[in-house]
Amino acid sequence: MKGWIIKDRKNSKFDEQFAMAKAYGVDVVYLYDIQIEVDPLNDMRIYVAGAYQEKPDFVYCFFEGIVEDATDMSYHLYVLEQLNMLGVFCFHKAEDLVNTCDKLKCYQLLRKAGIPVPHTIMLTEHTPLDWVSETLGFPMVVKVENGSKGRGVCLVRDAKELKNISELYCDKGRTLLAQEFIATSKGRDMRVTLCNNELIFALIRDNSKNSDFRSNVSQGGEALMVRPPKEAMDMAVKAAQALGLCYCGVDLLYGPEGFIVGEINSMPGILDEMFEGENCRDLMFKKILKTVNLKCGKV
């Protein structure tokens, strides 16, 4: 079985962790070494790093540029569509990136599936702010539609702040998202990482000691490995299924009446830590290979 990890950074901070992939028969491939060719006579090969190679059985993507919101993802999407065209099993499809990077679309798909999400309003230059204030109340969370790691997220405390941020950002077609503030989850949430609806690991992210409403570890939060309760696991699986995600991290907020899906990450981080006696990276690769076997009949 031949697999690829595709990265979009030549020198990735995860290269040391990716190196262990070779033990599982998985090669690391640089995104921009993959050339896009629509060949009507051959669908068994791909031109990579100056030579044709046999296409892999599966690919797993870790695109730091997208996770850090530091690159246009057009080429990423073309490469994933190319691989899909060639019949390669992709743990991350082009639509996965589109649906999870666009937070509003993600909430719409979740809501359509009957999954609880925060009350959300798109802010444009035409949005009546009095209505937003009355509907969501203060404080409210305002965020960019495609941010990650807690960047581009702020807590707005009154109508003046809301007006200022709207006037500053919402012009020339730019938009923001305004959300109800889930006070019961301030600085705290649960990340459930899944592969083919099976648990890889789960952790509670807690930043409450820093008085920050954002739970992200990148914003100073701490992470504690946990076995998720059935309610959390069931909601995470349902959310992944609603978006058709094979591999993802589901962030659950602690709502006053139960869990609420805060966000879904189609490329959650790779942890070099132990979960229930096994390294998370090993668990990830085992789940990946198990899924390929189930989906593609490979051994």
Side-chain angles (χ1 to χ4, degrees):
M1 181 160 45
K2 180 179 180 180
W4 288 355
I5 290 177
I6 304 178
K7 63 176 186 175
D8 66 350
R9 291 281 172 83
K10 196 84 170 180
N11 299 305
S12 169
K13 61 185 177 182
F14 296 100
D15 280 342
E16 185 175 340
Q17 296 184 38
F18 290 152
M20 69 167 294
K22 289 190 177 295
Y24 294 89
V26 180
D27 294 322
V28 180
V29 177
Y30 180 48
L31 174 73
Y32 298 102
D33 281 342
I34 301 172
Q35 303 306 313
I36 297 171
E37 175 188 23
V38 180
D39 182 351
L41 301 178
N42 196 321
D43 61 359
M44 299 300 294
R45 63 184 190 177
I46 304 176
Y47 196 76
V48 182
Y52 278 108
Q53 295 188 24
E54 181 184 353
K55 67 181 182 181
D57 296 302
F58 70 91
V59 297
Y60 167 91
C61 303
F62 196 76
F63 296 146
E64 291 170 74
I66 291 178
V67 171
E68 297 174 2
D69 192 27
T71 187
D72 176 87
M73 67 178 184
S74 298
Y75 199 78
H76 302 67
L77 299 179
Y78 283 128
V79 167
L80 291 176
E81 290 291 4
Q82 177 79 6
L83 292 165
N84 183 61
M85 177 191 75
L86 296 176
V88 176
F89 179 73
C90 300
F91 279 87
H92 304 89
K93 303 183 294 295
E95 56 264 36
D96 296 348
L97 271 62
V98 172
N99 290 342
T100 54
C101 289
D102 184 337
K103 288 184 172 60
L104 180 61
K105 185 174 183 181
C106 181
Y107 292 132
Q108 290 171 327
L109 292 171
L110 291 170
R111 178 65 183 85
K112 182 179 179 181
I115 298 169
V117 296
H119 194 157
T120 303
I121 294 174
M122 174 185 275
L123 294 180
T124 75
E125 58 189 310
H126 307 294
T127 304
L129 299 183
D130 289 346
W131 167 67
V132 177
S133 301
E134 181 181 344
T135 301
L136 299 180
F138 294 103
M140 71 176 67
V141 175
V142 174
K143 61 176 70 174
V144 295
E145 289 190 79
N146 58 351
S148 62
K149 298 186 176 181
R151 294 187 297 264
V153 183
C154 61
L155 195 64
V156 174
R157 294 173 173 81
D158 55 44
K160 183 177 180 180
E161 287 186 7
L162 179 61
K163 184 175 184 292
N164 287 342
I165 196 170
S166 178
E167 289 179 348
L168 180 66
Y169 191 88
C170 296
D171 64 348
K172 299 179 180 177
R174 295 194 301 178
T175 62
L176 292 167
L177 296 182
Q179 287 185 327
E180 65 173 315
F181 175 54
I182 310 297
T184 49
S185 197
K186 180 181 179 182
R188 186 168 175 263
D189 70 5
M190 180 183 291
R191 162 69 64 86
V192 180
T193 301
L194 304 170
C195 181
N196 197 32
N197 301 323
E198 293 186 0
L199 178 68
I200 300 179
F201 65 88
L203 49 85
I204 292 176
R205 305 185 301 180
D206 193 335
N207 200 15
S208 55
K209 73 175 185 179
N210 294 320
S211 300
D212 196 320
F213 75 99
R214 298 168 297 178
S215 61
N216 307 77
V217 174
S218 56
Q219 300 298 331
E222 297 179 346
L224 173 67
M225 291 288 184
V226 295
R227 165 63 59 169
K230 184 177 185 301
E231 178 190 358
M233 187 65 187
D234 289 348
M235 185 171 291
V237 169
K238 187 176 179 181
Q241 291 174 335
L243 272 73
L245 299 172
C246 187
Y247 188 96
C248 65
V250 182
D251 296 343
L252 300 174
L253 305 176
Y254 293 89
E257 298 180 2
F259 288 106
I260 298 170
V261 176
E263 293 187 1
I264 300 184
N265 190 329
S266 61
M267 286 179 288
I270 302 170
L271 295 181
D272 186 17
E273 296 184 24
M274 303 299 288
F275 178 66
E276 299 185 340
E278 193 163 1
N279 186 278
C280 289
R281 296 178 307 179
D282 290 322
L283 283 169
M284 179 191 76
F285 281 113
K286 287 178 180 178
K287 295 290 187 184
I288 284 175
L289 296 178
K290 177 183 176 182
T291 301
V292 172
N293 186 41
L294 289 172
K295 300 283 187 179
C296 307
K298 299 288 183 178
V299 283

